[in-house]
């Protein structure tokens, strides 16, 4: 991280953090870019931003200067700090909705530090993480889900997470939730009409008719509820585990994929005991995909229990658990000693997965024998696709396996244009609470209870758009943003 940002714990700066935290109205400043490059962007926001910018730049800013770049000298009394560019944004036409001034400084940390110090002397305080976005949401310039999308854009590790964040930034999640809320509002109003005219038997507002309308809303929410697990795969990676006998070469292959010696390799059967996890980014046809790769203990204990010691046995149980939690299981078979019987037993212990076949030690097996073994494996294990020979010594075959992995993951992560996928646990919880209320409405035998359930269900969804969130909870959401955002 840049030097200047690390100094946020510097007592000189700390005194500028007031106890009101996100709720204070003070003018704030922070670097938006790291120092050390050619340029560094510093942003100031708040009611005093224009006035203070005028003071430190010794120049006048008129409303006609709005959004116009101005070349200035930043100076501390008469001492010059930098020859810089300044752009004022008059409220409400700025990112935060407040007066904002952005300074484009030369990239040295000392210039950034001196400029920040100068601002601090003028009653500006260092912005908290995400505080600019927080103010944008508070001032109605940005929807909560769009602010969250900005955070997700910044931390996106692969193309799928990036696309999803951009989708969210375009407002599709917000729109969908608003649509569901509007539908629920209509339903609540109709049920209240039904209550008022209960003596007139109007079919339109009868409980069965209203329940029909509710069904389609519940379906939409259930789809969103179900999208969370997929969403996690976009952001955190597709879980993949290695599965095979001891000494098959799993850890060697794992290391070859990662391009580093992460897992211990030895010719002693049972070397890997615990699950070793690592993230891996592979380039597929549509861009980068992130994987959560697990190297596991070899599986001899499943068949011959007495062969495995107690620790190894626990490792084996974890291997099976890891495979069960994975979307893709790489079945790693020793090319020198395939041992088909045991592999069958292991495959029977994990069902309904994408299995990709990897045969190791290509460098030690003659081509003629390779073909025979491949044919045998295809015949014996129809559930495993694409057997590929690899060598962790010569690295032959590693890229083709990586390409196949990426292609399977891309199919798993496919998303229809505009499809909303939720990624935040808080959103999942709000949707589940809402569904609970709506199901209670469905189970109710009279319109009064139905209307109450609908209203509660609608209220729970407010958390997804920031409407029902108290300021301190909002502040907590923004606290894991980066400073300057
Ligand atoms: N020649 C050759 N040797 C390999 C290859 N892959 C693994 N080995 C050797 O096979 C032995 C076992 O490799 P590991 O990667 O530790 O096997 P593992 O499947 O992780 O074994 P456990 O952790 O015990 O389950 C080591 O001596 C490796 O050097 C390969 O592609 N070619
Ligand atoms: Mg191992």
């Amino acid at each position: 991280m840049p030097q200047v940002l690390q100094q946020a714990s510097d007592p000189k700066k700390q005194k500028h953090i007031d106890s009101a935290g996100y709720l204070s109205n003070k003018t704030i400043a922070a670097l938006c870019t790291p120092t050390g490059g050619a340029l560094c962007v510093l942003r100031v926001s708040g009611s005093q931003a224009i006035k203070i910018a005028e003071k430190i730049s010794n120049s006048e800013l008129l409303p006609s200067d709005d959004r116009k770049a101005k070349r200035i000298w930043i100076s501390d009394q008469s001492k010059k700090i930098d020859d810089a560019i300044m752009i004022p944004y008059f409220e409400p036409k700025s990112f935060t909705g407040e007066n904002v001034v952005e300074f484009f400084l030369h990239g040295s940390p000392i210039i950034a530090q001196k400029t920040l110090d100068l601002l601090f002397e003028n009653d500006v305080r260092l912005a908290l993480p995400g505080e600019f976005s927080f103010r944008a949401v508070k001032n109605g310039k940005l929807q909560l889900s769009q602010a969250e999308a900005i955070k997700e854009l910044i931390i996106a590790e692969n193309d799928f997470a990036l696309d999803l964040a951009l989708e969210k930034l375009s407002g599709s999640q917000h729109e969908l939730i608003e649509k569901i809320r509007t539908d629920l509002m209509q339903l609540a109003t109709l049920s209240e009409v039904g209550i008022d005219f209960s003596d007139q038997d109007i079919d339109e507002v009868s409980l069965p008719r209203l329940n029909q309308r509710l069904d389609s809303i519940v379906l939409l929410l259930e789809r969103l509820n179900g999208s969370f697990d997929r969403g996690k795969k976009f952001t955190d990676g597709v879980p993949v585990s290695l599965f095979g006998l001891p000494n098959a070469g799993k850890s060697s292959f794992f290391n070859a994929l990662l391009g580093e010696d992460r897992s211990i390799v030895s010719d002693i059967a049972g070397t890997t005991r615990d699950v070793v996890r690592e993230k891996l980014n592979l380039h597929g046809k549509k861009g980068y995909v992130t994987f959560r790769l697990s190297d596991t203990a070899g599986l001899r204990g499943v068949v011959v229990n007495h062969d495995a010691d107690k620790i190894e046995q626990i490792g084996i149980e974890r291997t099976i658990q890891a495979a069960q939690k994975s979307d893709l299981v790489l079945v790693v078979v020793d090319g020198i000693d395939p041992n088909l019987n045991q592999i069958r037993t292991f495959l029977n212990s994990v069902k309904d997965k994408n299995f990709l076949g990897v045969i190791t030690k290509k460098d030690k097996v003659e081509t003629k024998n390779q073909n025979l073994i491949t044919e045998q494996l295809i015949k014996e294990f129809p559930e495993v696709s694409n057997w590929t020979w690899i060598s962790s010594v010569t690295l032959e075959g590693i890229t083709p396996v990586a390409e196949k992995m990426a292609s399977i993951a891309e199919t798993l992560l496919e998303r229809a244009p505009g499809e909303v996928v939720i990624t935040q646990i808080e959103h999942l919880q709000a949707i589940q609470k809402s569904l609970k209320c709506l199901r209670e409405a469905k189970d109710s035998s009279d319109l009064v209870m139905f209307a109450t359930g609908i209203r509660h269900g609608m209220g729970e969804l407010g958390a997804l758009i920031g409407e029902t969130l108290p300021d301190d909870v909002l502040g907590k959401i923004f606290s894991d943003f980066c400073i300057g955002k």
Side-chain angles (χ1 to χ4, degrees):
M1 269 316 263
Q3 215 176 334
V4 175
L5 288 187
Q6 279 180 353
Q7 288 173 12
S9 56
D10 175 352
K12 199 170 175 193
K13 286 190 178 181
Q14 287 296 353
K15 77 172 187 226
H16 296 281
I17 294 181
D18 55 68
S19 57
Y22 288 92
L23 304 182
S24 96
N25 293 323
K26 269 205 161 184
T27 298
I28 52 173
L31 301 184
C32 300
T33 60
T35 55
L39 290 177
C40 165
V41 180
L42 192 162
R43 189 191 263 160
V44 185
S45 177
S47 57
Q48 302 306 303
I50 301 281
K51 214 176 85 195
I52 295 165
E54 284 179 317
K55 185 173 167 196
I56 70 167
S57 66
N58 254 316
S59 64
E60 200 182 11
L61 287 173
L62 301 169
S64 56
D65 293 319
D66 188 36
R67 291 162 182 256
K68 285 188 191 142
K70 199 167 188 176
R71 189 164 174 191
I72 46 140
W73 273 100
I74 295 176
S75 46
D76 185 358
Q77 284 147 7
S78 59
K79 206 161 170 279
K80 285 179 174 164
I81 294 176
D82 194 18
D83 174 8
I85 300 289
M86 160 172 93
I87 305 180
Y89 303 80
F90 285 78
E91 69 162 59
K93 284 174 14 197
S94 70
F95 176 68
T96 59
E98 305 174 324
N99 283 332
V100 167
V101 182
E102 282 171 357
F103 293 95
F104 295 78
L105 311 171
H106 288 104
S108 103
I110 185 74
I111 291 176
Q113 183 68 72
K114 278 175 161 292
T115 312
L116 275 173
D117 283 345
L118 185 58
L119 290 165
F120 297 152
E121 279 158 28
N122 284 282
D123 207 28
V124 172
R125 74 159 164 80
L126 185 68
L128 297 167
E131 196 170 7
F132 294 105
S133 304
F134 174 84
R135 290 187 177 190
V137 171
K138 274 215 81 171
N139 295 327
K141 299 295 288 188
L142 204 62
Q143 291 153 358
L144 177 65
S145 64
Q146 288 177 314
E148 285 168 342
I150 292 176
K151 177 173 71 178
E152 287 166 16
L153 269 182
I154 294 168
I155 60 170
E157 290 178 352
N158 61 67
D159 287 72
F160 290 86
L162 191 67
D163 281 352
L164 193 59
L166 287 169
E167 179 77 64
K168 207 165 167 183
L169 191 62
S170 76
S172 48
Q173 179 173 322
H174 186 93
E175 277 166 29
L176 179 63
I177 298 298
E178 281 293 24
K179 183 196 169 308
I180 295 175
R181 276 165 49 92
T182 311
D183 289 353
L184 286 172
M185 174 71 94
Q186 279 175 1
L187 207 51
T189 312
L190 282 176
S191 48
E192 277 145 17
V193 170
I195 295 166
D196 291 344
F197 295 93
S198 55
D199 51 341
Q200 295 186 24
D201 221 8
I202 310 168
D203 184 44
E204 270 292 293
V205 291
S206 67
L207 201 52
R209 284 294 288 271
L210 296 178
N211 256 320
Q212 264 176 12
R213 293 180 71 140
L214 178 57
D215 282 344
S216 57
I217 302 174
V218 167
L219 201 70
L220 274 179
L221 280 175
E222 275 171 349
R223 214 175 284 156
L224 273 183
N225 186 31
S227 74
F228 179 76
D229 282 347
R230 241 173 97 228
K232 282 278 136 254
K233 288 168 198 165
F234 282 76
T235 52
D236 298 357
V238 176
V240 179
S241 67
L242 275 67
F243 201 66
L245 304 184
N247 262 347
K250 297 179 295 301
S251 300
S252 307
F253 170 58
F254 178 78
N255 291 345
L257 268 178
L258 292 171
E260 60 172 300
D261 280 343
R262 175 71 178 81
S263 231
I264 299 172
V265 168
S266 88
D267 56 4
I268 304 165
T271 304
T272 308
R273 301 202 154 202
D274 214 337
V275 179
V276 182
R277 293 190 176 83
E278 202 59 65
K279 271 197 178 179
L280 170 70
N281 260 4
L282 293 177
H283 204 283
K285 288 199 178 70
K286 296 175 194 154
Y288 282 102
V289 193
T290 304
F291 291 91
R292 274 181 285 145
L293 207 57
S294 304
D295 180 21
T296 60
L299 280 161
R300 73 176 149 175
V302 178
V303 178
V304 213
N305 252 328
H306 56 267
D307 255 13
D309 68 30
K310 207 171 159 193
I311 298 174
E312 197 184 348
Q313 185 63 44
I314 297 170
I316 289 162
E317 280 158 22
R318 288 190 184 172
T319 298
I320 295 176
Q321 279 169 15
Q324 270 153 355
K325 283 187 203 150
S326 299
D327 281 320
L328 173 62
V329 177
L330 301 173
V331 182
V332 183
V333 173
D334 190 336
I336 298 174
D337 175 20
N339 203 335
L340 304 193
N341 284 345
Q342 292 213 19
I343 299 166
R344 169 47 61 212
T345 316
F346 305 151
L347 280 179
N348 287 349
S349 64
V350 180
K351 293 246 153 53
D352 300 328
K353 295 282 163 196
N354 289 296
F355 292 110
L356 190 60
V358 176
I359 320 163
T360 61
K361 310 184 188 178
K362 187 176 199 286
D363 53 299
K364 292 278 187 200
V365 183
E366 280 182 35
T367 317
K368 188 172 74 201
N369 287 346
Q370 284 176 22
N371 294 338
L372 284 175
I373 292 172
T374 313
E375 277 170 29
Q376 230 179 342
L377 287 167
I378 293 173
K379 203 166 129 233
E380 295 284 334
F381 308 113
E383 66 266 60
V384 181
S385 64
N386 275 309
W387 288 99
T388 309
W389 279 86
I390 61 129
S391 166
S392 302
V393 176
T394 63
L395 299 184
E396 220 184 317
I398 303 293
T399 307
V401 176
E403 282 168 359
K404 284 168 194 161
M405 285 171 67
S407 143
I408 293 173
E410 285 185 331
T411 319
L412 288 171
L413 297 178
E414 220 162 313
R415 192 172 58 86
E419 185 191 347
V420 175
V421 174
I422 57 162
T423 53
Q424 306 217 2
I425 187 82
E426 295 78 11
H427 293 175
L428 178 72
Q429 286 162 348
I431 288 167
Q432 288 177 344
K433 280 189 202 158
S434 172
L435 273 170
K436 187 168 174 281
C437 300
L438 299 182
R439 287 189 187 119
E440 278 166 14
K442 265 199 81 62
D443 289 342
S444 59
S445 49
D446 65 78
L447 278 171
V448 176
M449 278 168 69
F450 182 85
T452 311
I454 300 290
R455 289 223 175 261
H456 286 164
M458 191 176 77
E460 295 293 355
L461 292 179
L464 269 98
I465 51 175
E467 193 181 67
T468 51
L469 293 177
D471 284 343
D472 55 334
V473 177
L474 266 183
K476 231 169 120 202
I477 292 174
F478 287 92
S479 61
D480 47 83
F481 274 56
C482 50
I483 291 180
K485 214 42 239 173

